[in-house]
Amino acid sequence: MTESDGHRFYGDLAVWWPLVSAPAEYAEEAAFAASLLDTADGPTRTVLELGSGGGNNAFHLKTRYAMTLVDISEAMLAVSRELNPECEHLQGDMRELRLERTFDAVFVHDAIEYMTTEDDLRRAVETAYVHCRPGGVAVLVPDSVAENFEPETEHGGNDAPDGRGVRYLSWSVDPDPSDTTTRVDYAFLLRGVDGSVSVAHDTHLLGLFPRELWLRVLSESGFTAARVVAEVTSEDRLPREFFVGFRPA
């Protein structure tokens, strides 16, 4: 789920997403995620991705699995349909979704961070559980956990052949370490085909939970829970933690 309510990033700015974050940037992490999705009991052929956003993970995973992509933002689904026309796309909230069918695996990338309370997180994990077949696996990937969060600033962006371009700056902070949220502010410079540049700002509230809570929520939802630390080749990134739930056969 990319949370669209009140977020320009996933609303009127969604058309710029391919220039904010390119699919190539997701290749390494998608490959590691696939190695965990393949740990289901029996072959992993079908994968439900919750909070699929602009489809950058699916761009890599669709070569291995039949992907069903769900996001709360119709604008982001439109972007993903252009990138991944082979995939099934559905609009829905990961806290409430019920498709009345199961998959070999369920994948939730960093959209899981829009769960800002334990209740939100629990509801999202329960959604993953009910859509995971017996013997299947769920893989959830927050950007940070409470034990390793650090304030940071990032920047990036890309250019398109038609002259459009994006440059962005993100600023992540934890205003109140006693609660379960952090704040990220984004500033965007958006260059149109005519060369004119506009400025946009967007603020996102994200959830931040300790490892123990992640594992407990997975276990209490019915999964056998595990934590896996990804191998990272980039020297400027902390190892990313994947939370894996195995649904008993």
Side-chain angles (χ1 to χ4, degrees), residues 187-211:
F188 300 96
L189 291 173
L190 311 170
R191 187 183 66 213
V193 292
D194 62 354
S196 62
V197 176
S198 60
V199 180
H201 168 248
D202 205 15
T203 298
H204 296 236
L205 195 68
L206 304 177
L208 184 69
F209 306 103
R211 297 182 183 107

Side-chain angles (χ1 to χ4, degrees), residues 233-244:
T233 59
S234 173
E235 294 181 357
D236 61 355
R237 284 199 60 180
L238 291 171
R240 197 155 189 188
E241 301 186 24
F242 288 60
F243 291 92
V244 183

Side-chain angles (χ1 to χ4, degrees), residues 8 60 97 158 170 212 214 218-219:
R8 296 188 62 193
H60 302 284
L97 183 76
N158 297 279
S170 70
E212 178 277 330
W214 278 98
L218 281 163
S219 296

Side-chain angles (χ1 to χ4, degrees), residues 11-143:
D12 65 298
L13 298 179
V15 294
W16 296 94
W17 172 251
L19 299 181
V20 173
S21 187
E25 299 170 12
Y26 288 66
E28 180 182 4
E29 198 159 85
F32 188 83
S35 72
L36 299 177
L37 295 170
D38 284 340
T39 60
D41 183 7
T44 301
R45 298 189 178 96
T46 60
V47 175
L48 171 66
E49 183 177 356
L50 302 174
S52 54
N56 285 349
N57 280 299
F59 178 77
H60 302 284
L61 297 175
K62 69 185 179 183
T63 64
R64 303 172 63 127
Y65 315 113
M67 301 290 298
T68 295
L69 309 181
V70 176
D71 200 273
I72 199 171
S73 166
E74 185 58 48
M76 291 296 279
L77 287 170
V79 173
S80 180
R81 288 188 186 101
E82 288 288 326
L83 183 64
N84 304 301
E86 318 93 316
C87 299
E88 179 183 19
H89 289 78
L90 300 170
Q91 186 177 24
D93 185 327
M94 70 171 72
R95 294 165 294 192
E96 302 171 356
L97 183 76
R98 294 296 183 270
L99 297 179
E100 307 303 328
R101 53 185 162 124
T102 59
F103 300 79
D104 297 319
V106 179
F107 179 53
V108 196
H109 197 239
D110 51 12
I112 194 66
E113 293 203 319
Y114 288 98
M115 306 298 102
T116 57
T117 67
E118 181 177 340
D119 181 64
D120 281 343
L121 181 62
R122 189 174 300 277
R123 292 169 64 194
V125 170
E126 289 172 354
T127 296
Y129 185 84
V130 301
H131 290 94
C132 191
R133 66 161 170 82
V137 62
V139 178
L140 297 85
V141 196
D143 266 337

Side-chain angles (χ1 to χ4, degrees), residues 138-205:
V139 178
L140 297 85
V141 196
D143 266 337
S144 302
V145 293
E147 290 86 349
N148 66 15
F149 175 82
E150 294 182 2
E152 64 178 354
T153 301
E154 295 184 353
H155 62 87
N158 297 279
D159 298 317
D162 63 5
R164 293 178 305 127
V166 172
R167 296 296 182 270
Y168 74 85
L169 176 73
S170 70
W171 183 14
S172 303
V173 296
D174 187 1
D176 183 358
S178 68
D179 68 11
T180 60
T181 62
T182 63
R183 170 179 167 148
V184 185
D185 283 277
Y186 291 93
F188 300 96
L189 291 173
L190 311 170
R191 187 183 66 213
V193 292
D194 62 354
S196 62
V197 176
S198 60
V199 180
H201 168 248
D202 205 15
T203 298
H204 296 236
L205 195 68

